[in-house]
Amino acid sequence: MLLLALDTATPAITVALHDGEAVLASRDQIDARRHGELLLPAVHATLSEAGRTLHDVTGLVVGVGPGPYTGLRVGLVTAAGFGAALGIPVHGVCTLDGIAHAAGAAGIGGPFVVATDARRKEVYWARYADARTRATELSVDRPADIAEQVAGVPSVGAGALLYPDTFTGVRADGPEHQSAAALAALAAEKLAAGEPFLPPLPMYLRRPDAKVPAGYKVVTPR
């Protein structure tokens, strides 16, 4: 087994190579506006560090979000392209599940909350019974609207750090951004246990920021 994992659903451009037992190499960069520019060089650097090529990869793991439209689709399209070119499976994994797995590896036991920045003064979030068990549906909300649900609960992720008045149990020792290393480790566990994956399709939870302008007129040539 050789899994290439990547995720661009958060400001992190993150890539990792996992052999089913351990991470062989990884790259993590934080830049909310350069996913398309930085992802492929990160893939190349990760493979080079491990002394492997794309043709050695037996499966792809990709974070499906939730995340903002533009960044999220970069990782998904890249994974789909690699999968089609190499003829290997592409496994979708919820981005928040990857962060939860990293929280567990950091010693944070359940229950806890994972929250990422959804922009527009909102967060993507879910509550977890433990690092492998999501206890609620994924949601996108304004922090003030969920204050009673998350007050005092241990919380990790950039969304929790952005709104400490709401996430009063925020854990600074937990993961802030997604890590493809954690995503790959979670996927390896799921494969070993025969657990199903999500389809490699985007999980937006809301409409994209880009919209057709109001009053748009179709112009036809004369």
Side-chain angles (χ1 to χ4, degrees), residues 11-175:
I13 301 93
T14 179
V15 179
L17 200 63
H18 197 289
D19 67 359
E21 296 183 0
V23 173
L24 303 181
S26 64
R27 286 289 186 280
D28 300 284
Q29 301 174 78
I30 308 300
D31 193 322
R33 298 182 180 276
R34 299 174 65 204
H35 294 87
E37 179 181 348
L38 297 175
L39 180 59
L40 288 180
V43 170
H44 177 73
T46 301
L47 289 167
S48 296
E49 180 182 334
R52 305 297 180 90
T53 72
L54 270 177
H55 293 286
D56 296 321
V57 175
T58 61
L60 289 145
V61 181
V62 62
V64 300
Y69 179 78
T70 303
L72 174 57
R73 64 180 180 170
V74 171
L76 286 162
V77 169
T78 301
F82 285 160
L86 299 170
I88 57 177
V90 181
H91 307 295
V93 179
C94 170
T95 295
L96 298 191
D97 289 357
I99 297 174
H101 192 275
I108 299 175
F112 60 84
V113 168
V114 176
T116 60
D117 183 15
R119 304 177 186 171
R120 302 186 194 175
K121 298 182 179 180
E122 294 179 333
V123 294
Y124 299 115
W125 72 284
R127 184 167 178 150
Y128 288 77
D130 55 53
R132 291 277 271 115
T133 309
R134 192 174 347 124
T136 65
E137 294 295 324
L138 300 164
S139 300
V140 56
D141 291 291
R142 290 185 176 275
D145 295 338
I146 60 172
E148 292 185 2
Q149 300 177 62
V150 302
V153 181
S155 304
V156 300
L161 291 168
L162 275 173
Y163 302 100
D165 290 342
T166 294
F167 297 92
T168 56
V170 63
R171 294 283 298 266
D173 58 335

